[in-house]
Amino acid sequence: EQINHALMAFVMLLMKVAPFGIFCLVTARFGEAAAEGELMAMMQQTGWYMMTVLTGLGIHALITLPALLWFFTRRNPYRFVLQMSRAILTAFSTASSSATLPVTMECAEEAGVSERSTDFVLPLGATINMDGTALYEAAAAIFIAQVVGMDMSVMQQVTIALTATLAAVGAAGIPEAGLVTMLIVLNAVGLPVEYVALILSVDWLLDRFRTAVNAFGDACGAAIIDTTFPDAAKATIEEA
Ligand code: ASP
């Protein structure tokens, strides 16, 4: 218990100095770029990076997940998006899958997913299943590699895909957790971790989008698993 208290005190201390540390990291990176006359180019790169992540998340949320949902459950996927809209908006505004969990469970049950499935899948999904985070971590690592000018081999890209998926599993369902586990991905392929400063400035916004995708992905998972429960499957199809 005492070790726990000591650790908590240490974490609280880190939380207090974190904003200052992040400020230093970001200003140092942008200051260097400004001194080299590359500030505009860097802003442009960051803009493209944001566009890439948002497009990827959009494709995943509006095409891949709906296709999987339709294939396994024969539900109307876009109606399901509407039914889950309260959870998606809560995830967007809190940037935390864990904080959104009660709303996700409520919406999924209202959408006709059985209580058995929501109770089993959603709490697990809120911490383990993070599609949005995995997608973002892979895109961010490749973006950093391109900024650094590192030519990635196919093996390195596969390593990024694998470690990004595992790092997303390890990330907690709290704001900016993906940014921390991304250091694992950067280390795995030998990318300089200080370049995380490049994406720090826009992470607060991307975090909201990826959390919304994470919560929707969990709900799709619960609906799909629901069809594997024999008696629940019937109810689901009737409701849908
Ligand atoms: N904020 C995300 C979530 O709670 C995790 C992350 O990607 O930072 O799902």
Side-chain angles (χ1 to χ4, degrees):
E1 226 171 80
Q2 281 174 343
I3 291 172
N4 188 31
H5 283 313
L7 274 176
M8 282 310 284
F10 183 60
V11 170
M12 292 315 285
L13 183 72
L14 283 182
M15 299 280 276
K16 283 194 185 121
V17 292
F20 181 66
I22 291 171
F23 173 77
C24 292
L25 265 176
V26 175
T27 42
R29 188 59 54 209
F30 277 81
E32 260 171 40
E36 288 161 11
E38 285 172 0
L39 187 62
M40 274 324 283
M42 183 182 269
M43 304 272 263
Q44 215 174 6
Q45 280 172 344
T46 313
W48 276 113
Y49 157 70
M50 282 182 76
M51 282 293 295
T52 311
V53 173
L54 292 180
T55 311
L57 290 175
I59 293 174
H60 189 64
L62 297 174
I63 299 175
T64 319
L65 287 175
L68 284 172
L69 188 74
W70 180 82
F71 184 78
F72 287 106
T73 68
R74 302 287 154 179
R75 276 168 177 274
N76 177 341
Y78 297 104
R79 202 172 139 219
F80 191 64
V81 173
L82 275 183
Q83 287 167 323
M84 293 307 299
S85 58
R86 211 153 42 88
I88 295 172
L89 280 177
T90 311
F92 186 82
S93 49
T94 58
S96 164
S97 305
S98 298
T100 313
L101 182 60
V103 187
T104 319
M105 291 174 84
E106 215 177 278
C107 290
E109 274 173 38
E110 279 167 18
V113 180
S114 74
E115 202 180 326
R116 197 148 60 134
S117 178
T118 51
D119 281 357
F120 171 61
V121 179
L122 291 177
L124 267 182
T127 43
I128 292 178
N129 175 46
M130 292 201 180
D131 337 22
T133 303
L135 191 150
Y136 140 85
E137 293 196 8
I142 289 176
F143 167 67
I144 289 176
Q146 287 177 345
V147 170
V148 175
M150 183 168 155
D151 229 350
M152 296 280 231
S153 67
V154 176
M155 252 340 270
Q156 276 172 318
Q157 292 181 36
V158 172
T159 310
I160 287 188
L162 287 177
T163 45
T165 308
L166 292 176
V169 170
I174 54 169
E176 316 257 314
L179 194 66
V180 179
T181 56
M182 217 192 70
L183 300 184
I184 303 172
V185 183
L186 296 181
N187 272 324
V189 283
L191 283 167
V193 288
E194 61 276 14
Y195 273 80
V196 133
L198 277 181
I199 54 173
L200 269 177
S201 54
V202 291
D203 202 61
W204 64 274
L205 183 61
L206 294 181
D207 191 12
R208 292 168 188 274
F209 283 98
R210 65 179 188 256
T211 309
V213 174
N214 289 347
F216 181 57
D218 296 344
C220 290
I224 291 171
I225 296 296
D226 198 21
T227 58
T228 63
F229 295 137
D231 52 341
K234 248 189 275 145
T236 306
I237 291 160
E238 272 166 22
E239 291 273 346

Short mmCIF file of all heavy atoms in Angstrom, two decimals, residues 158-202:
data_model
loop_
_atom_site.label_atom_id
_atom_site.label_comp_id
_atom_site.label_asym_id
_atom_site.label_seq_id
_atom_site.Cartn_x
_atom_site.Cartn_y
_atom_site.Cartn_z
N VAL A 158 5.79 -4.07 -41.68
CA VAL A 158 5.03 -5.14 -41.03
C VAL A 158 5.20 -5.03 -39.51
O VAL A 158 4.24 -5.16 -38.74
CB VAL A 158 5.48 -6.53 -41.55
CG1 VAL A 158 4.85 -7.66 -40.74
CG2 VAL A 158 5.15 -6.68 -43.02
N THR A 159 6.45 -4.73 -39.09
CA THR A 159 6.72 -4.58 -37.64
C THR A 159 5.86 -3.46 -37.08
O THR A 159 5.29 -3.58 -35.99
CB THR A 159 8.21 -4.26 -37.39
OG1 THR A 159 8.99 -5.19 -38.11
CG2 THR A 159 8.56 -4.30 -35.92
N ILE A 160 5.76 -2.34 -37.83
CA ILE A 160 4.94 -1.22 -37.36
C ILE A 160 3.48 -1.67 -37.20
O ILE A 160 2.84 -1.39 -36.19
CB ILE A 160 5.04 -0.02 -38.33
CG1 ILE A 160 6.41 0.64 -38.18
CG2 ILE A 160 3.93 0.99 -38.07
CD1 ILE A 160 6.57 1.92 -38.93
N ALA A 161 2.98 -2.38 -38.22
CA ALA A 161 1.57 -2.82 -38.16
C ALA A 161 1.33 -3.71 -36.93
O ALA A 161 0.35 -3.52 -36.20
CB ALA A 161 1.20 -3.56 -39.43
N LEU A 162 2.28 -4.64 -36.69
CA LEU A 162 2.10 -5.56 -35.56
C LEU A 162 2.23 -4.85 -34.22
O LEU A 162 1.39 -5.00 -33.34
CB LEU A 162 3.13 -6.70 -35.64
CG LEU A 162 2.86 -7.75 -36.73
CD1 LEU A 162 3.98 -8.79 -36.75
CD2 LEU A 162 1.52 -8.44 -36.48
N THR A 163 3.31 -4.05 -34.09
CA THR A 163 3.51 -3.40 -32.78
C THR A 163 2.41 -2.36 -32.52
O THR A 163 2.00 -2.16 -31.38
CB THR A 163 4.89 -2.74 -32.64
OG1 THR A 163 5.16 -2.01 -33.82
CG2 THR A 163 5.98 -3.72 -32.39
N ALA A 164 1.93 -1.70 -33.58
CA ALA A 164 0.85 -0.71 -33.39
C ALA A 164 -0.40 -1.41 -32.86
O ALA A 164 -1.07 -0.90 -31.96
CB ALA A 164 0.55 0.01 -34.69
N THR A 165 -0.68 -2.60 -33.40
CA THR A 165 -1.86 -3.34 -32.94
C THR A 165 -1.69 -3.74 -31.47
O THR A 165 -2.60 -3.54 -30.66
CB THR A 165 -2.06 -4.60 -33.81
OG1 THR A 165 -2.06 -4.19 -35.17
CG2 THR A 165 -3.36 -5.30 -33.49
N LEU A 166 -0.49 -4.26 -31.14
CA LEU A 166 -0.26 -4.68 -29.75
C LEU A 166 -0.23 -3.49 -28.80
O LEU A 166 -0.76 -3.54 -27.70
CB LEU A 166 1.06 -5.46 -29.65
CG LEU A 166 1.03 -6.82 -30.35
CD1 LEU A 166 2.38 -7.50 -30.28
CD2 LEU A 166 -0.03 -7.72 -29.72
N ALA A 167 0.39 -2.38 -29.26
CA ALA A 167 0.47 -1.19 -28.40
C ALA A 167 -0.94 -0.65 -28.14
O ALA A 167 -1.24 -0.17 -27.04
CB ALA A 167 1.33 -0.12 -29.06
N ALA A 168 -1.83 -0.75 -29.15
CA ALA A 168 -3.20 -0.27 -28.97
C ALA A 168 -3.93 -1.14 -27.95
O ALA A 168 -4.73 -0.65 -27.16
CB ALA A 168 -3.94 -0.26 -30.30
N VAL A 169 -3.62 -2.45 -27.96
CA VAL A 169 -4.23 -3.35 -26.97
C VAL A 169 -3.78 -2.93 -25.57
O VAL A 169 -4.57 -2.92 -24.61
CB VAL A 169 -3.83 -4.82 -27.25
CG1 VAL A 169 -4.25 -5.73 -26.11
CG2 VAL A 169 -4.45 -5.31 -28.55
N GLY A 170 -2.52 -2.54 -25.46
CA GLY A 170 -1.97 -2.16 -24.16
C GLY A 170 -2.41 -0.79 -23.69
O GLY A 170 -2.30 -0.48 -22.50
N ALA A 171 -2.90 0.05 -24.60
CA ALA A 171 -3.28 1.41 -24.21
C ALA A 171 -4.54 1.39 -23.34
O ALA A 171 -5.46 0.63 -23.60
CB ALA A 171 -3.52 2.26 -25.46
N ALA A 172 -4.54 2.25 -22.31
CA ALA A 172 -5.74 2.33 -21.44
C ALA A 172 -6.79 3.18 -22.16
O ALA A 172 -6.46 3.95 -23.05
CB ALA A 172 -5.35 2.98 -20.13
N GLY A 173 -8.03 3.02 -21.73
CA GLY A 173 -9.10 3.79 -22.38
C GLY A 173 -9.25 5.19 -21.83
O GLY A 173 -10.32 5.62 -21.41
N ILE A 174 -8.14 5.91 -21.80
CA ILE A 174 -8.16 7.28 -21.25
C ILE A 174 -7.55 8.23 -22.28
O ILE A 174 -6.88 7.77 -23.21
CB ILE A 174 -7.37 7.36 -19.91
CG1 ILE A 174 -5.94 6.82 -20.12
CG2 ILE A 174 -8.06 6.62 -18.81
CD1 ILE A 174 -5.02 7.09 -18.96
N PRO A 175 -7.77 9.55 -22.13
CA PRO A 175 -7.25 10.48 -23.14
C PRO A 175 -5.73 10.38 -23.35
O PRO A 175 -4.98 10.26 -22.38
CB PRO A 175 -7.63 11.85 -22.59
CG PRO A 175 -8.79 11.59 -21.71
CD PRO A 175 -8.58 10.23 -21.13
N GLU A 176 -5.33 10.37 -24.59
CA GLU A 176 -3.92 10.40 -25.00
C GLU A 176 -3.11 9.16 -24.63
O GLU A 176 -1.87 9.20 -24.69
CB GLU A 176 -3.20 11.64 -24.43
CG GLU A 176 -4.00 12.90 -24.55
CD GLU A 176 -3.56 13.83 -25.66
OE1 GLU A 176 -2.36 14.06 -25.79
OE2 GLU A 176 -4.44 14.30 -26.39
N ALA A 177 -3.78 8.08 -24.25
CA ALA A 177 -3.03 6.88 -23.86
C ALA A 177 -2.26 6.33 -25.07
O ALA A 177 -1.14 5.82 -24.93
CB ALA A 177 -3.98 5.82 -23.32
N GLY A 178 -2.84 6.46 -26.25
CA GLY A 178 -2.20 5.94 -27.46
C GLY A 178 -0.88 6.62 -27.76
O GLY A 178 0.04 6.02 -28.32
N LEU A 179 -0.79 7.89 -27.34
CA LEU A 179 0.43 8.64 -27.60
C LEU A 179 1.60 8.05 -26.80
O LEU A 179 2.74 8.01 -27.26
CB LEU A 179 0.20 10.09 -27.18
CG LEU A 179 1.21 11.10 -27.64
CD1 LEU A 179 1.15 11.23 -29.16
CD2 LEU A 179 0.92 12.45 -27.02
N VAL A 180 1.27 7.55 -25.60
CA VAL A 180 2.31 6.98 -24.73
C VAL A 180 2.77 5.62 -25.29
O VAL A 180 3.97 5.37 -25.43
CB VAL A 180 1.79 6.82 -23.28
CG1 VAL A 180 2.86 6.23 -22.39
CG2 VAL A 180 1.31 8.15 -22.75
N THR A 181 1.78 4.77 -25.64
CA THR A 181 2.17 3.44 -26.12
C THR A 181 2.81 3.53 -27.51
O THR A 181 3.42 2.57 -27.96
CB THR A 181 0.98 2.46 -26.15
OG1 THR A 181 -0.05 3.02 -26.95
CG2 THR A 181 0.45 2.17 -24.77
N MET A 182 2.67 4.69 -28.17
CA MET A 182 3.29 4.81 -29.48
C MET A 182 4.82 4.77 -29.40
O MET A 182 5.50 4.45 -30.37
CB MET A 182 2.85 6.10 -30.15
CG MET A 182 2.69 5.88 -31.62
SD MET A 182 2.52 7.35 -32.48
CE MET A 182 4.13 7.98 -32.31
N LEU A 183 5.34 5.10 -28.21
CA LEU A 183 6.79 5.05 -28.04
C LEU A 183 7.31 3.63 -28.28
O LEU A 183 8.41 3.44 -28.78
CB LEU A 183 7.18 5.54 -26.64
CG LEU A 183 6.75 6.98 -26.31
CD1 LEU A 183 7.27 7.40 -24.96
CD2 LEU A 183 7.23 7.96 -27.37
N ILE A 184 6.48 2.63 -27.95
CA ILE A 184 6.87 1.23 -28.17
C ILE A 184 7.05 1.00 -29.68
O ILE A 184 8.00 0.36 -30.12
CB ILE A 184 5.76 0.26 -27.66
CG1 ILE A 184 5.48 0.51 -26.19
CG2 ILE A 184 6.14 -1.19 -27.90
CD1 ILE A 184 4.27 -0.27 -25.66
N VAL A 185 6.11 1.55 -30.46
CA VAL A 185 6.16 1.35 -31.92
C VAL A 185 7.41 2.04 -32.48
O VAL A 185 8.14 1.45 -33.30
CB VAL A 185 4.89 1.95 -32.59
CG1 VAL A 185 4.88 1.68 -34.07
CG2 VAL A 185 3.63 1.40 -31.94
N LEU A 186 7.67 3.26 -32.03
CA LEU A 186 8.84 3.98 -32.54
C LEU A 186 10.13 3.24 -32.18
O LEU A 186 11.03 3.11 -33.00
CB LEU A 186 8.87 5.41 -31.97
CG LEU A 186 7.70 6.31 -32.38
CD1 LEU A 186 7.84 7.69 -31.78
CD2 LEU A 186 7.61 6.43 -33.90
N ASN A 187 10.19 2.74 -30.94
CA ASN A 187 11.38 2.00 -30.51
C ASN A 187 11.58 0.74 -31.32
O ASN A 187 12.70 0.38 -31.66
CB ASN A 187 11.26 1.62 -29.02
CG ASN A 187 11.79 2.73 -28.14
OD1 ASN A 187 12.77 3.40 -28.50
ND2 ASN A 187 11.15 2.96 -27.01
N ALA A 188 10.47 0.07 -31.66
CA ALA A 188 10.55 -1.22 -32.35
C ALA A 188 11.25 -1.09 -33.71
O ALA A 188 11.90 -2.03 -34.16
CB ALA A 188 9.15 -1.81 -32.53
N VAL A 189 11.08 0.05 -34.37
CA VAL A 189 11.72 0.20 -35.68
C VAL A 189 12.89 1.20 -35.66
O VAL A 189 13.38 1.62 -36.70
CB VAL A 189 10.71 0.61 -36.78
CG1 VAL A 189 9.87 -0.57 -37.21
CG2 VAL A 189 9.84 1.76 -36.35
N GLY A 190 13.29 1.58 -34.44
CA GLY A 190 14.47 2.43 -34.29
C GLY A 190 14.24 3.88 -34.72
O GLY A 190 15.16 4.54 -35.22
N LEU A 191 13.01 4.38 -34.54
CA LEU A 191 12.75 5.78 -34.88
C LEU A 191 13.00 6.65 -33.64
O LEU A 191 12.75 6.21 -32.51
CB LEU A 191 11.30 5.94 -35.35
CG LEU A 191 11.02 5.49 -36.78
CD1 LEU A 191 9.51 5.39 -37.02
CD2 LEU A 191 11.64 6.44 -37.79
N PRO A 192 13.47 7.90 -33.82
CA PRO A 192 13.75 8.76 -32.66
C PRO A 192 12.46 9.17 -31.93
O PRO A 192 11.57 9.74 -32.56
CB PRO A 192 14.43 9.98 -33.28
CG PRO A 192 14.05 9.96 -34.71
CD PRO A 192 13.76 8.55 -35.09
N VAL A 193 12.37 8.85 -30.63
CA VAL A 193 11.12 9.10 -29.90
C VAL A 193 10.83 10.60 -29.72
O VAL A 193 9.68 10.99 -29.57
CB VAL A 193 11.09 8.39 -28.53
CG1 VAL A 193 10.92 6.90 -28.69
CG2 VAL A 193 12.29 8.70 -27.72
N GLU A 194 11.89 11.44 -29.75
CA GLU A 194 11.63 12.87 -29.51
C GLU A 194 10.79 13.49 -30.64
O GLU A 194 10.22 14.56 -30.47
CB GLU A 194 12.92 13.66 -29.26
CG GLU A 194 13.92 13.67 -30.38
CD GLU A 194 14.84 12.45 -30.36
OE1 GLU A 194 14.53 11.46 -29.66
OE2 GLU A 194 15.85 12.48 -31.08
N TYR A 195 10.71 12.80 -31.76
CA TYR A 195 9.90 13.34 -32.87
C TYR A 195 8.41 13.25 -32.60
O TYR A 195 7.59 13.75 -33.38
CB TYR A 195 10.25 12.63 -34.19
CG TYR A 195 11.42 13.30 -34.87
CD1 TYR A 195 12.72 13.06 -34.46
CD2 TYR A 195 11.23 14.22 -35.90
CE1 TYR A 195 13.80 13.69 -35.04
CE2 TYR A 195 12.29 14.86 -36.49
CZ TYR A 195 13.58 14.59 -36.07
OH TYR A 195 14.63 15.24 -36.65
N VAL A 196 8.06 12.62 -31.48
CA VAL A 196 6.67 12.60 -31.05
C VAL A 196 6.16 14.04 -30.88
O VAL A 196 4.97 14.33 -31.03
CB VAL A 196 6.58 11.77 -29.74
CG1 VAL A 196 5.79 12.44 -28.68
CG2 VAL A 196 6.00 10.41 -30.02
N ALA A 197 7.09 14.95 -30.62
CA ALA A 197 6.73 16.36 -30.47
C ALA A 197 5.98 16.89 -31.69
O ALA A 197 5.16 17.79 -31.58
CB ALA A 197 8.00 17.19 -30.25
N LEU A 198 6.28 16.31 -32.86
CA LEU A 198 5.64 16.76 -34.10
C LEU A 198 4.13 16.54 -34.08
O LEU A 198 3.38 17.29 -34.69
CB LEU A 198 6.19 15.94 -35.28
CG LEU A 198 7.50 16.38 -35.88
CD1 LEU A 198 7.85 15.46 -37.03
CD2 LEU A 198 7.37 17.80 -36.38
N ILE A 199 3.72 15.45 -33.42
CA ILE A 199 2.29 15.12 -33.47
C ILE A 199 1.56 15.50 -32.18
O ILE A 199 0.34 15.45 -32.11
CB ILE A 199 2.07 13.62 -33.78
CG1 ILE A 199 2.84 12.76 -32.80
CG2 ILE A 199 2.47 13.29 -35.19
CD1 ILE A 199 2.52 11.29 -32.98
N LEU A 200 2.35 15.93 -31.17
CA LEU A 200 1.73 16.30 -29.89
C LEU A 200 0.73 17.43 -30.03
O LEU A 200 -0.33 17.41 -29.43
CB LEU A 200 2.84 16.76 -28.93
CG LEU A 200 3.47 15.72 -28.03
CD1 LEU A 200 4.57 16.35 -27.21
CD2 LEU A 200 2.43 15.15 -27.11
N SER A 201 1.09 18.41 -30.88
CA SER A 201 0.26 19.62 -30.95
C SER A 201 -1.14 19.34 -31.48
O SER A 201 -2.06 20.09 -31.21
CB SER A 201 0.95 20.68 -31.78
OG SER A 201 1.26 20.12 -33.04
N VAL A 202 -1.31 18.27 -32.28
CA VAL A 202 -2.64 18.01 -32.85
C VAL A 202 -3.30 16.78 -32.23
O VAL A 202 -4.40 16.41 -32.62
CB VAL A 202 -2.55 17.83 -34.38
CG1 VAL A 202 -2.20 19.14 -35.06
CG2 VAL A 202 -1.56 16.75 -34.78
#
